[in-house]
Amino acid sequence: MFTHLREDISSIIERDPAARNAWEVVTCYPGFHAIVMHGWAQWCWKNELKWLGRFISQLARWFTGIEIHPGATIGRRVFIDHGFGVVIGETAEIGDDCTIYQGVTLGGTSLNRGAKRHPTLGRGVIIGAGAKVLGGFTVGEGAKVGSNAVVVKEVPPGATAVGNPAHIVQKDIHEETAARMFSAYGISPTSDDPMSSALRGLISQAAAQEHQMIKIIAALQGAGMKCEVLSEVDKFDPVQLNKLVE
């Protein structure tokens, strides 16, 4: 138990630059307190002391603002940063080295008792503030969920999901690199929204076609052919349009 606690404290100091020492983590970090109390509640739950397990989880909720069902499975070195408003459901499974920020819900969409209703997070997953991960699917190892995203389907390993409903904006080619790279709040500086990329591609294509049309008209006029000139409109500015979709 003490080995696990030391690992948890070290992982918090590693991932939070505001954490200055172990004593500060032990006394001032509600995410750490919630994980410790969940261990007590889960022991009761597994040993058929269901009510006591729920009562301990309720006490943890009052003291920390973090609600973790005693039936949830939480791995080692899991860091719940800030933590207020975090809700983790009964059949949720959280892998080692995951990071969860405030306001996150790992919720279920089914009312079937005994079914797998809540998500499974692979190793090293980061869930940004306010994100909702809803359903009994898997968020793959090293994946990131951006702040306020609503995820209702599986996220591949190493991918980044953002939006409502969430869509994949990045899937790292080198998964080992992705696993080593910590990304606060689930946002990677190199990520790019595929919708923005598609719009930029369309803008570039339209600009190229406009340039080609100007050359064709000039060639026709040079050959002595008359070309009807349409009334002038605002000049097409691809640079300005690209800035709008960034």
Side-chain angles (χ1 to χ4, degrees):
M1 181 182 70
F2 289 107
T3 300
H4 289 186
L5 290 178
R6 283 196 293 268
E7 284 184 349
D8 290 339
I9 293 167
S10 297
S11 70
I12 291 172
I13 293 173
E14 179 182 344
R15 280 179 266 178
D16 186 2
R20 290 169 291 188
N21 52 60
W23 178 246
E24 184 175 315
V25 171
V26 170
T27 56
C28 301
Y29 274 65
F32 176 77
H33 304 154
I35 293 293
V36 172
M37 295 184 74
H38 171 71
W40 305 341
Q42 189 177 50
W43 185 91
C44 294
W45 187 264
K46 289 182 176 179
N47 287 276
E48 300 304 320
L49 300 171
K50 304 290 188 183
W51 177 87
L52 184 56
R54 288 302 302 266
F55 184 69
I56 292 173
S57 70
Q58 185 72 4
L59 289 176
R61 179 174 178 265
W62 290 342
F63 284 115
T64 68
I66 299 168
E67 182 175 343
I68 307 175
H69 193 284
T73 301
I74 297 181
R76 297 168 70 170
R77 300 176 299 278
V78 172
F79 178 29
I80 302 177
D81 195 3
H82 302 295
F84 198 85
V86 167
V87 178
I88 300 174
E90 178 183 6
T91 62
E93 299 175 45
I94 302 175
D96 297 343
D97 302 303
C98 289
T99 303
I100 298 172
Y101 288 90
Q102 67 271 17
V104 166
T105 298
L106 303 182
T109 56
S110 169
L111 298 179
N112 297 325
R113 291 182 182 272
K116 170 65 172 167
R117 309 188 310 276
H118 303 89
T120 295
L121 308 186
R123 184 186 182 96
V125 169
I126 299 171
I127 310 294
K132 315 300 176 189
V133 186
L134 308 174
F137 52 84
T138 298
V139 179
E141 181 175 338
K144 305 174 187 68
V145 176
S147 297
N148 295 315
V150 178
V151 183
V152 294
K153 60 183 179 181
E154 186 170 332
V155 179
T160 298
V162 298
N164 180 9
H167 56 276
I168 305 302
V169 298
Q170 173 185 332
K171 189 175 187 309
D172 298 298
I173 297 174
H174 303 291
E175 293 187 4
E176 291 183 5
T177 302
R180 290 194 302 267
M181 184 177 63
F182 180 76
S183 183
Y185 292 93
I187 296 299
S188 176
T190 58
S191 64
D192 198 5
D193 190 331
M195 293 297 292
S196 296
S197 298
L199 287 172
R200 284 196 291 269
L202 289 172
I203 291 168
S204 297
Q205 181 69 13
Q209 290 178 350
E210 183 183 49
H211 181 67
Q212 187 68 20
M213 289 296 296
I214 291 172
K215 292 175 66 176
I216 291 172
I217 292 172
L220 290 174
Q221 290 175 339
M225 299 179 64
K226 291 184 178 180
C227 297
E228 182 181 355
V229 179
L230 299 176
S231 58
E232 289 191 6
V233 295
D234 292 337
K235 188 177 180 181
F236 182 76
D237 187 353
V239 174
Q240 184 63 31
L241 289 175
N242 275 318
K243 288 182 179 178
L244 292 175
V245 300
E246 287 179 355

